[in-house]
Amino acid sequence: MQWILIAAVLAATAGLLVLGVLAVRLWADVRTLAREVDAASRALGAAAGQLTGR
């Protein structure tokens, strides 16, 4: 019966590790996306400035 408890703890630990890795990957993807959105908005602002002659 004790091996069932150990297996459950190991499975829960493995699940938490997987969730942690996925959270880090999501954070990295969001950071990359934020940089791309920032660059695109700056490019659009510069283009709009050129259209208005500023």
Side-chain angles (χ1 to χ4, degrees):
M1 187 79 167
Q2 185 176 355
W3 63 272
I4 294 175
L5 181 61
I6 292 171
V9 169
L10 288 175
T13 303
L16 289 174
L17 287 173
V18 168
L19 287 176
V21 168
L22 290 175
V24 169
R25 285 189 58 195
L26 177 65
W27 174 76
D29 287 345
V30 166
R31 234 178 109 186
T32 302
L33 180 61
R35 285 183 185 149
E36 291 176 4
V37 167
D38 181 53
S41 65
R42 289 179 191 271
L44 283 172
Q50 289 176 357
L51 285 175
T52 59
R54 290 184 178 180

